[in-house]
Amino acid sequence: MRDFKIAEPRTVDEVAALLAEAAETTALIAGGTDLLDELKSGVAAAALVVDLRGVPGLAGVAREKDGLRIGAMTRVVDLAGDSGVARDYPSLKEAALSLATPQLRNVGTVGGNLCQRPRCWYYRDPEVVCRKKGGVNCYAYQGRNKYHAIFGGSGCFIVFPSDLAPALISLGATVTIGSARGDKVMPLEALYAGPAVDVTRETVLAKGQFLKSVLVPAPKAGQKAVYVKIKERGTWDFALVSAAVAGVLKDGAFTDISVVCGGVAPIPWRLKKAEDVLRGQPLTEALAVKAAEAALKDASPLRENGYKADLVTAALKQAVRAVTA
Ligand SMILES: Cc1cc2nc3c(=O)[nH]c(=O)nc-3n(C[C@H](O)[C@H](O)[C@H](O)COP(=O)(O)OP(=O)(O)OC[C@H]3O[C@@H](n4cnc5c(N)ncnc54)[C@H](O)[C@@H]3O)c2cc1C
């Protein structure tokens, strides 16, 4: 493990100033459940690590006029245990509870979850210099790709591993990005960009920017939302495929709907073609199958991951069953 300096800012402004001024490579640390692994294994290197844990005002879940404000430093366990989340956003609670283990949820934060790095075994191997680490090849493309992307993998086939991101995007969440130049608000969906934009990262966060909070809009009348996570193992695991489905249900049909999948693409993946099929039609499992078929026309499975197409169909069927139960 390479040496690094650690900075312990005490205000949000100090964080912004440190990130703006640092000449060396910097990394933010929140709970550290992902970053420390990366630093120890040598997959990531930082000369300066900026610790967010001593910064007041970045943690907590608060009701606001426009919805629910979740600080980036809110621990996953506190999100899952919040009574307002349970009442108004059950899919978010489900996603939080599905994530990792109780120990990791006790330490891991919402911001860290949304900005975590991929689990691709080639990326995580410190000996392998793949495209994501500045090399020229994606070794998954012709190598072992059972857990890789079936959508959006232009030259890099990682999948984005977050459980919270699909659930929050389906609920229409926005994020506040802090920096020395002031705050900026954008849809969470727009935080992510695939390998065609910049293969070395998964978000559009620029140098000096960091996540301050997430705002989930107040639930609409008739809103229904579910999170389905399909895993390989019964115990803790990342999603092979997950699906977050949210929308307004009226007379047995969605009037508006958002379908966002995890585990299938380098970023949380919106299935707009599935949304078009599901919108305005009486919800049945047969409709879910048609929706999956429409979305999967855009899929390009690799040698070992064609099974994920079936899991997308299964996840949409399960979501429709849960919504109509
Ligand atoms: C065994 C194991 C199982 C796991 N299972 C799951 C799972 O099932 N589902 C899942 O979604 N995740 C899983 N994770 C991933 C991860 O540990 C959690 O998602 C956790 O919530 C990450 O939060 P953290 O605060 O520990 O992040 P950290 O490790 O502190 O940070 C993660 C990344 O985000 C960046 N970052 C942190 N905070 C900010 C911020 N405010 N602004 C900008 N960048 C920031 C860091 O620089 C770093 O690159 C698992 C991890 C392990 C080790």
Side-chain angles (χ1 to χ4, degrees), residues 2 37-44 120-130 133:
R2 285 183 234 163
D37 257 4
E38 289 213 309
L39 291 175
K40 282 190 205 163
S41 65
V43 169
C120 168
W121 40 39
Y122 296 108
Y123 167 74
R124 292 273 165 171
D125 184 337
E127 305 294 321
V128 174
V129 185
C130 67
K133 291 188 282 190

Side-chain angles (χ1 to χ4, degrees), residues 28 30-35 100 109 113 115-116 163 211 229 237-238:
L28 286 165
T33 60
D34 183 23
L35 185 79
T109 64
N113 186 272
C115 297
Q116 64 178 292
D163 283 302
L211 215 64
K229 177 173 179 177
D237 212 347
F238 290 93

